[in-house]
Amino acid sequence: IFSAQGLIAWAGRYADLAEEQAAAESDPARRAELLTIAQTCRRVPAEPARNFREALQSFWFVHIALHIEQFGWSISAGRFDQYMLPYYRRDLASGALSADQAWELLLSLWVKFMENVDTRVKETTFQNLTLGGQDMDGQDQSNELSTLCLEATVALRFNQPALSVRWHAAIDPVFWDQVHAALGEGSGLPALF
């Protein structure tokens, strides 16, 4: 409970800072961005995420807190394309988020992953994100967010987050081709399991 309260207070400080910066901002577009940041940080991780932006921010607060506490050893994002997919699909379907906005948010998260490497607080060198795989019935679980994660890694040419793809005999052949194309870019990612 104490740790959770600390994490919520930490998010609140980000909200406070965003509000302070918004009050001093003359550019209306930037002011709106800062107010959105403040609203998001007031919501998560204290409350459940309602959309893709909040889900990404909630994930990031928890991820970075775990890295600070444990020096980043073996703390991975897990099956990111599975647990983020409902938020992504819902926002795109409702029009709450455009494909370009979702792409920008995902790229911003990739930048944050890179910022979490070799800081003065810790020596994080490995943050893995798993893509695809199967569900309990053996059905392929690769999806459009799996593809976007591959594309983000190729576009930015970052080595963080490290990507892993779970191969199985019924993997979607289009996704499997996309995995090969990503490997063909020379980054060594994703790893195949």
Side-chain angles (χ1 to χ4, degrees):
I1 292 170
F2 182 77
S3 297
Q5 289 170 337
L7 186 54
I8 291 166
W10 185 39
R13 289 196 302 273
Y14 275 97
D16 292 343
L17 178 60
E19 287 171 350
E20 288 171 21
Q21 290 178 349
E25 182 58 57
S26 60
D27 176 19
R30 180 61 180 150
R31 184 180 319 111
E33 287 176 346
L34 289 163
L35 291 173
T36 298
I37 290 168
Q39 291 167 351
T40 301
C41 294
R42 292 247 182 262
R43 171 76 188 185
V44 296
E47 300 291 332
R50 298 168 294 192
N51 55 49
F52 190 59
R53 179 186 306 274
E54 289 178 356
L56 290 174
Q57 185 63 65
S58 187
F59 160 78
W60 188 250
F61 275 135
V62 173
H63 181 76
I64 199 71
L66 291 170
H67 276 255
I68 290 169
E69 172 62 23
Q70 295 296 321
F71 300 102
W73 297 111
S74 300
I75 300 170
S76 294
R79 297 188 74 189
F80 183 86
D81 62 343
Q82 305 305 301
Y83 58 80
M84 287 292 174
L85 184 63
Y87 300 101
Y88 174 79
R89 281 184 175 163
R90 190 169 45 241
D91 278 8
L92 262 61
S94 72
L97 202 62
S98 71
D100 286 345
Q101 290 169 320
W103 175 243
E104 183 179 354
L105 288 171
L106 192 65
L107 292 177
S108 296
L109 179 63
W110 260 230
V111 170
K112 298 306 289 181
F113 275 114
M114 282 300 293
E115 289 177 354
N116 190 38
V117 177
D118 293 328
T119 66
R120 291 183 182 164
V121 176
K122 63 229 169 292
E123 295 289 329
T124 299
T125 56
F126 189 74
Q127 301 164 93
N128 191 64
L129 204 144
T130 303
L131 304 176
Q134 297 173 292
D135 65 12
M136 61 190 292
D137 298 319
Q139 299 298 309
D140 181 58
Q141 294 300 294
S142 59
N143 58 63
E144 61 270 30
L145 193 52
S146 312
T147 298
L148 277 181
C149 290
L150 285 174
E151 291 174 353
T153 296
V154 169
L156 295 175
R157 304 188 81 63
F158 290 168
N159 64 0
Q160 296 291 319
L163 299 181
S164 296
V165 169
R166 290 181 172 181
W167 178 87
H168 55 93
I171 195 168
D172 175 27
V174 173
F175 178 63
W176 191 230
D177 286 345
Q178 292 165 335
V179 168
H180 286 112
L183 283 167
E185 292 292 325
S187 70
L189 295 173
L192 304 178
F193 291 88

